[in-house]
Amino acid sequence: MNLKAKNFILSCKMPSPHEPIIELVKKLSASQNTPQQKLIKMIAMDPVLTAKIHQLNNTSLNKRKDETGCLSKAITQLGLGQIRTLINAQKSTTTFPETITNKIDTKDFWERSLAVAICCQTIDQIVGGKSDEIFYAGLLHDYGRLIILNNADTLPVHELIQKCTDKNELIYKNERKLYGFNHMELGDALFTTWNMPSVIREPAAFHHSPILAIRHNYETAVVHIADIICRSLKLGKSTDNYIPTLDMNAVQQVGLQSNQLDYVCEETVHELEDYMNLFEHTKSNS
Amino acid sequence: MEYISTDLLKEGMTVAKDVHSQSQMLLLPAGTELSASKIRTLITWGVRRIFIEATEDLEATQNIIKQKEADNIIDTMFIHNPNNDFIHSLKMAAARNLRRKMSEEL
């Protein structure tokens, strides 16, 4: 583990859930009439809230580490009472510092995370992978980047974006030079500290170098591909101007064919729209 | 070619890509002209969206869009990637989505 990343997470500002989501989830969880599946679907739209539930599930006292990355299982194990307590304790305080808000805001990040989760699920379905956790692996893969953006007032984030724009370089390849760690090492350090399941931790740690994954090569490869597809489709803004190099070994490992890409891309775009419509519909009816 | 919801399908539209069920059974091959019963079949099998051939109206709209500009943007985005079939297909999909976004903004 990168020690600078480990030390950074001890003192940095942690992100909070996306405000519109947490406000809605609070309303839904306060009502006894809300179906559990509806509540889970809304919670699963937010990476921070999803991560906090996994963290709570894996740090409960007298409990063996749980390797499930599936949110509904984690919620079942914790019980709705604990989930309500956790939800009510959340306040949305995350707004990215002004130095970067002309490039990206919290909504952009949230949309990108959700898009990657949906794309992962679509790829998994078309190749017959049947991974229960793939949606959550995609949703949480860029948690390290979220922490970096949330701390852009103490890290030279704007400087790095400018440098990479000027030199036509990829941001993730230059993070370590300026910060002492990259966003994958930061995600790895945090998820290791939180005792997160390896099916979530490995894609966060290796999504730009999927060959390094140890136990969850498949999920890591799917997240790698989905991240590149969503960047290509410009779903949610990114600070990067360029698409990272696609690892063709990951494509081969997953078994995704080039003639399946049209379907994956269109399904991701439209499914993301469906999620947004569902969110608006639920909000207006709650 | 457009990717549209089965709710919006109309008789006479032409299927642009093979349509499969979730169990990968071929429901309609590319080139099929849709009838009311074929549309009902798709809905019965739970198909939510399919590719259809663009109509003249849609093609006319697309002609307004700055296709060249969209292609150049996509080419620049991919400078760190090699040219291969997979990347080519991804660039085509990315360009199509960008053109759609540009036409929505017009």
Side-chain angles (χ1 to χ4, degrees), chain A residues 125-126 168-170 173 225 228-229 231-236 241-246 248 251 256-259 261-263 265-267 269-271 273-274, chain B residues 1-5 17 22 24 48-49 51 73-74 76-82 84-98 100-101 104:
Chain A
Q125 281 167 357
I126 203 168
N168 296 346
E169 289 177 356
L170 291 163
K173 287 189 173 176
I225 298 164
I228 285 174
I229 288 175
R231 284 167 181 255
S232 308
L233 298 174
K234 291 177 170 281
L235 300 176
N241 292 326
Y242 306 107
I243 310 293
T245 311
L246 180 70
M248 288 309 294
V251 174
L256 186 65
Q257 306 296 318
S258 54
N259 62 7
L261 268 174
D262 275 346
Y263 172 79
C265 291
E266 294 291 345
E267 191 63 20
V269 169
H270 287 83
E271 194 68 19
E273 281 174 12
D274 286 352
Chain B
M1 187 169 70
E2 295 295 319
Y3 190 61
I4 69 168
S5 165
K17 286 195 168 201
Q22 286 196 338
Q24 298 304 311
R48 294 167 64 190
R49 300 180 193 90
F51 287 95
I73 292 171
I74 299 298
T76 307
M77 282 167 59
F78 277 85
I79 57 171
H80 293 282
N81 277 276
N84 59 41
D85 281 353
F86 198 90
I87 293 293
H88 178 71
S89 299
L90 184 54
K91 282 166 82 170
M92 298 277 280
R96 187 172 62 238
N97 198 49
L98 182 58
R100 184 161 52 205
K101 282 185 176 184
E104 283 168 5

Side-chain angles (χ1 to χ4, degrees), chain A:
Chain A
M1 188 193 299
N2 183 308
L3 284 178
K4 285 185 178 171
K6 191 179 174 187
N7 289 333
F8 185 76
I9 59 169
L10 296 175
S11 58
C12 71
K13 271 188 300 186
M14 282 296 163
S16 58
H18 188 48
E19 187 175 9
I21 291 281
I22 192 63
E23 293 308 319
L24 177 58
V25 168
K26 276 184 182 178
K27 275 188 194 170
L28 292 177
S29 74
S31 165
Q32 298 295 332
N33 298 327
T34 304
Q36 189 169 335
Q37 281 310 314
K38 189 175 187 179
L39 184 63
I40 291 172
K41 187 143 189 175
M42 287 298 132
I43 293 173
M45 287 177 78
D46 187 78
V48 176
L49 201 48
T50 301
K52 281 177 186 282
I53 288 171
H54 280 301
Q55 180 199 8
L56 182 64
N57 193 36
N58 284 298
T59 51
S60 299
L61 290 173
N62 303 321
K63 182 175 176 307
R64 283 168 57 194
K65 185 179 176 186
D66 192 347
E67 274 297 314
T68 181
C70 181
L71 183 66
S72 56
K73 286 181 192 163
I75 288 177
T76 305
Q77 283 164 359
L78 283 166
L80 271 181
Q82 277 206 71
I83 297 298
R84 285 199 179 97
T85 306
L86 175 77
I87 288 168
N88 287 329
Q90 301 304 310
K91 284 182 184 160
S92 185
T93 53
T94 295
T95 47
F96 296 156
E98 275 180 23
T99 48
I100 58 161
T101 45
N102 64 335
K103 300 277 182 193
I104 188 168
D105 61 24
T106 49
K107 183 172 181 288
D108 296 322
F109 183 88
W110 172 65
E111 260 187 46
R112 168 61 60 82
S113 300
L114 189 56
V116 173
I118 291 167
C119 189
C120 283
Q121 199 168 46
T122 307
I123 294 171
D124 184 60
Q125 281 167 357
I126 203 168
V127 300
K130 308 277 188 278
S131 168
D132 287 342
E133 289 104 346
I134 197 71
F135 182 93
Y136 303 104
L139 187 74
L140 299 177
H141 82 285
D142 244 356
Y143 214 92
R145 193 165 75 93
L146 176 60
I147 295 174
I148 287 174
L149 295 171
N150 199 40
N151 289 272
D153 47 354
T154 55
L155 290 170
V157 177
H158 179 72
E159 189 184 334
L160 181 58
I161 294 171
Q162 199 56 49
K163 178 180 173 252
C164 291
T165 303
D166 294 344
K167 294 190 169 184
N168 296 346
E169 289 177 356
L170 291 163
I171 289 178
Y172 84 90
K173 287 189 173 176
N174 288 280
E175 287 173 327
R176 203 183 287 141
K177 287 179 213 159
L178 264 83
Y179 311 152
F181 47 79
N182 62 35
H183 71 278
M184 290 171 288
E185 290 166 331
L186 201 54
D188 182 32
L190 181 73
F191 286 172
T192 301
T193 307
W194 282 3
N195 220 11
M196 293 284 269
S198 52
V199 69
I200 301 288
R201 188 180 57 75
E202 286 196 8
F206 305 120
H207 60 269
H208 288 300
S209 347
I211 196 169
L212 298 177
I214 302 156
R215 290 181 58 192
H216 299 285
N217 316 65
Y218 170 75
E219 284 85 354
T220 307
V222 172
V223 171
H224 169 74
I225 298 164
D227 179 42
I228 285 174
I229 288 175
C230 291
R231 284 167 181 255
S232 308
L233 298 174
K234 291 177 170 281
L235 300 176
K237 265 198 266 176
S238 169
T239 47
D240 239 327
N241 292 326
Y242 306 107
I243 310 293
T245 311
L246 180 70
D247 183 343
M248 288 309 294
N249 291 322
V251 174
Q252 278 183 352
Q253 187 199 347
V254 170
L256 186 65
Q257 306 296 318
S258 54
N259 62 7
Q260 294 171 319
L261 268 174
D262 275 346
Y263 172 79
V264 171
C265 291
E266 294 291 345
E267 191 63 20
T268 301
V269 169
H270 287 83
E271 194 68 19
L272 182 63
E273 281 174 12
D274 286 352
Y275 263 84
M276 295 302 174
N277 291 338
L278 174 70
F279 171 69
E280 291 300 332
H281 177 75
T282 310
K283 198 165 78 171
S284 61
N285 287 328
S286 67

